[in-house]
Amino acid sequence: MAEIPTSDYPTIDPTSFDLIVSSTGLSASLLAAAASVAGKSVLHLDSNPFYGSHFSSLPLPSFLSYISSPSSPPNLYSDVEASSQSLPEPSRSYLVDLVGPRLLYCSDETVDLLLRSGASHHVEFKSVDSSLVYWDGKLCSVPDSRQAIFKDKSLGLTEKSQMMKFFKLVQSHISLTRSGTTTESGEEGGVMIPEEDLEMPFVEFLKKQRLPPKIRALVLYAIAMADYEQDNGDSCKIVVSTREGIETISLYTSSIGRFANAVGAFIYPMYGHGELPQAFCRCAAVKGALYVLRMPVIDILTDKESNKYIGVRLASGQEIFSSKLVLDPSYQIPASLSPRETVVSSNLSSYVAKGVCITDRSLEPNSANILLVFPPKSLHQEQSTAVRALQISGNVAVCPSGFFIVHLSTPCEDAALGKEYINSAMKALFNSRELPAESVQAQTKEEGESVEAPTQEEGETKPTLLWSCAFVQELREASYDGAVSICPMPDANLDFRNILSTTRKLFQNMYPGEEFIPQNSAADNIDDDADEGSPE
């Protein structure tokens, strides 16, 4: 952002607030909305000329500048490699999510919060048409319902029977759990999964059910959304327990059919995920929050005697005071004021490797928006994390009709290895005019054996990669002390559940006893176009 003369900044009045929020990312916008609903006076700032911060959706040229700029926050984005082809035109018609790939479950708490707060009146959604998994060099559908299992031609009769039996057990457990049953045998022959099985690694439970490797991979990585290879428990960074796996399957299955116009479990916001923080900002504005973009915080003010936080100095030179402060994760604050408590545990990966591709064809005929998962070892033998890909189309207004944006991501400790996985996934999916500037190293399943590209049916060809970019984002956790809180960066997950949980904890720390956006908070947010945007 070009430097603005001090005289061109607006003067803010009043000069004292209950809360100053310096970021319009999703977590920050939720905190501003929750504080405003609770009756707090809120000043909401952002140094950028757009809403969303690290959760925004940017036109393609702006996206590339944002992650590549030397003035970008240090270490948050690195190892940026873009293909040398010219940006596809009109380049500003392509909106790229900084958080991609990302979706919302139809039944998750984020959707409930959108409805409860009234933010759903400011954003519209489209359904994800299909879910795929990469297996044995082929793209296979994810059979996530009884009907889908029966229709799936890639499964044999024995596999279909095994999968039906497993889902019947899981659905029985979920139904009995919801009804409050605590014994292992419920009414009408229903069965609950024993407590000792719920505590064991999910992969071991699936083996106990005698599910073959392909079905285990489908359940673990395409439905339960495990990030790390689960078969090697000793080296697995995050082992998914049966209880956690069943909870995600419950969310997945309950999402199917929740909204009449959603064909599967997932929805995606029109115009990209940057619409979500903007929707919550509108809710906060209705409750009286004051908004100023292009207004960086350049210094934190402290009491001379106690050294405790009292306010901020803005780029305009104006000093604004408050009792609480929320900062963007990129802000470097003095060590004496650094929040000392993390909201979540520190067992997360340090980075997430990401990719953005623009293509000329869909990965699957007759499907516009597609979720695709590459399980560990599906690209090459050393692959230890799942790679997720999300294809989105012009029907969600993020690119011109007839073109597609594909987001990819995988958690990683080593940036080079993470990008290696991303580039391998690109190579498997697309006919490439040119891969990113750094050549993709050939991957092997076993020494001397190259990875196979997806098998194509006769007459079919892979989509052409028109432009691509790979980069690495640092993961930073939320943290807090009595007055200063720092919001989290986007995590490596598919959905926003962890971000929402972290935000709720931050709010509870800031305002103990206050309810986080109560049920009746939507009443004042309904306007003339209130029927727009509801996922229903």
Side-chain angles (χ1 to χ4, degrees):
M1 184 179 71
E3 187 174 340
I4 300 174
T6 301
S7 59
D8 290 347
Y9 285 107
T11 299
I12 296 173
D13 184 40
T15 59
S16 181
F17 295 83
D18 294 320
L19 172 65
I20 296 174
V21 181
S22 180
S23 171
T24 54
L26 181 59
S27 182
S29 298
L30 281 165
L31 289 171
S36 297
V37 168
K40 310 299 181 183
S41 58
V42 177
L43 174 62
H44 202 168
L45 310 169
D46 200 304
S47 60
N48 298 300
F50 53 83
Y51 287 89
S53 185
H54 305 290
F55 292 79
S56 62
S57 302
L58 299 175
L60 186 55
S62 301
F63 161 78
L64 196 54
S65 296
Y66 189 78
I67 63 172
S68 304
S69 173
S71 61
S72 293
N75 303 321
L76 291 187
Y77 303 100
S78 61
D79 297 274
V80 179
E81 299 170 21
S83 55
S84 61
Q85 297 107 310
S86 299
L87 297 179
E89 296 294 342
S91 60
R92 296 195 66 81
S93 296
Y94 295 87
L95 294 176
V96 181
D97 292 331
L98 284 170
V99 300
R102 187 81 55 159
L103 291 169
L104 283 78
Y105 289 92
C106 290
S107 290
D108 80 9
E109 192 178 358
T110 308
V111 173
D112 294 338
L113 186 60
L114 283 162
L115 295 169
R116 187 169 79 237
S117 66
S120 61
H121 304 310
H122 308 296
V123 61
E124 300 179 61
F125 294 89
K126 286 285 189 179
S127 175
V128 173
D129 303 315
S130 62
S131 294
L132 305 176
V133 65
Y134 183 79
W135 187 259
D136 282 344
K138 299 179 181 180
L139 301 181
C140 306
S141 62
V142 177
D144 50 16
S145 66
R146 178 186 294 267
Q147 184 180 21
I149 292 172
F150 279 125
K151 288 184 176 181
D152 195 312
K153 295 180 181 179
S154 69
L155 297 175
L157 289 177
T158 300
E159 291 174 316
K160 290 181 179 181
S161 176
Q162 291 169 322
M163 204 161 186
M164 287 293 297
K165 182 179 178 181
F166 169 74
F167 275 115
K168 184 177 180 180
L169 170 63
V170 171
Q171 289 298 335
S172 173
H173 176 84
I174 292 170
S175 297
L176 292 173
T177 300
R178 288 175 178 168
S179 68
T181 302
T182 56
T183 59
E184 292 181 9
S185 295
E187 297 178 0
E188 301 180 0
V191 176
M192 291 189 72
I193 298 173
E195 185 65 26
E196 57 268 26
D197 285 356
L198 292 174
E199 297 301 322
M200 71 166 52
F202 195 28
V203 65
E204 297 303 323
F205 178 74
L206 297 180
K207 291 176 180 178
K208 187 176 179 179
Q209 304 306 308
R210 299 183 179 180
L211 296 180
K214 179 180 179 180
I215 303 300
R216 292 202 304 268
L218 284 169
V219 172
L220 282 169
Y221 305 108
I223 300 178
M225 301 299 171
D227 285 318
Y228 296 87
E229 182 192 358
Q230 300 293 302
D231 282 303
N232 191 348
D234 293 336
S235 61
C236 180
K237 188 173 182 64
I238 300 178
V239 176
V240 176
S241 69
T242 302
R243 188 187 307 279
E244 292 167 333
I246 297 299
E247 287 174 354
T248 302
I249 292 174
S250 175
L251 174 61
Y252 192 113
T253 56
S254 66
S255 294
I256 298 173
R258 181 183 184 185
F259 301 123
N261 60 349
V263 298
F266 301 105
I267 52 177
Y268 179 89
M270 293 285 292
Y271 307 103
H273 280 288
E275 294 297 300
L276 298 182
Q278 288 190 69
F280 288 109
C281 287
R282 292 187 181 104
C283 294
V286 168
K287 294 294 185 179
L290 178 62
Y291 280 81
V292 186
L293 298 182
R294 296 178 179 266
M295 185 62 79
V297 169
I298 61 171
D299 198 10
I300 294 177
L301 307 177
T302 58
D303 181 82
K304 291 182 180 180
E305 294 184 0
S306 65
N307 201 36
K308 291 184 178 180
Y309 165 80
I310 58 171
V312 299
R313 181 176 294 110
L314 306 179
S316 63
Q318 189 176 7
E319 295 183 350
I320 306 292
F321 302 93
S322 69
S323 57
K324 303 285 185 183
L325 173 65
V326 173
L327 291 169
D328 187 88
S330 62
Y331 193 89
Q332 303 295 315
I333 67 175
S336 60
L337 280 175
S338 294
R340 291 176 292 277
E341 299 291 337
T342 55
V343 173
V344 293
S345 61
S346 57
N347 63 345
L348 300 174
S349 290
S350 301
Y351 305 96
V352 54
K354 296 189 175 188
V356 177
C357 303
I358 295 176
T359 71
D360 63 347
R361 288 179 59 247
S362 175
L363 291 167
E364 184 179 56
N366 304 317
S367 292
N369 306 313
I370 299 170
L371 175 64
L372 167 63
V373 177
F374 294 83
K377 297 186 182 299
S378 62
L379 290 166
H380 61 91
Q381 192 62 30
E382 300 304 315
Q383 180 194 353
S384 59
T385 58
V387 177
R388 295 195 189 97
L390 174 64
Q391 173 187 285
I392 45 181
S393 69
N395 76 359
V396 291
V398 297
C399 61
S401 177
F403 294 88
F404 301 84
I405 297 178
V406 180
H407 291 273
L408 304 98
S409 75
T410 188
C412 59
E413 295 294 335
D414 179 84
L417 186 60
K419 284 175 61 183
E420 206 171 89
Y421 294 170
I422 295 296
N423 288 330
S424 293
M426 290 183 190
K427 190 175 181 180
L429 292 176
F430 308 118
N431 286 321
S432 178
R433 292 179 178 176
E434 180 188 348
L435 285 172
E438 181 180 297
S439 62
V440 180
Q441 299 296 318
Q443 305 300 323
T444 58
K445 288 186 176 179
E446 294 179 1
E447 187 175 351
E449 182 184 353
S450 299
V451 156
E452 298 291 334
T455 301
Q456 302 296 321
E457 298 295 334
E458 187 175 352
E460 287 187 324
T461 58
K462 293 188 290 183
T464 299
L465 189 61
L466 305 178
W467 183 87
S468 64
C469 175
F471 65 102
V472 175
Q473 178 212 300
E474 183 181 348
L475 296 175
R476 292 191 181 180
E477 300 171 352
S479 53
Y480 62 84
D481 67 6
V484 180
S485 301
I486 295 180
C487 290
M489 285 289 290
D491 55 29
N493 296 320
L494 178 67
D495 59 90
F496 290 110
R497 281 180 293 167
N498 282 359
I499 295 290
L500 183 55
S501 174
T502 297
T503 303
R504 189 186 300 276
K505 291 175 182 177
L506 282 174
F507 183 77
Q508 291 169 348
N509 175 73
M510 292 162 57
Y511 300 111
E514 293 283 0
E515 188 175 356
F516 183 76
I517 309 184
Q519 182 65 41
N520 61 358
S521 60
D524 294 335
N525 292 321
I526 300 176
D527 52 26
D528 293 337
D529 57 12
D531 58 334
E532 295 184 7
S534 171
E536 300 177 281

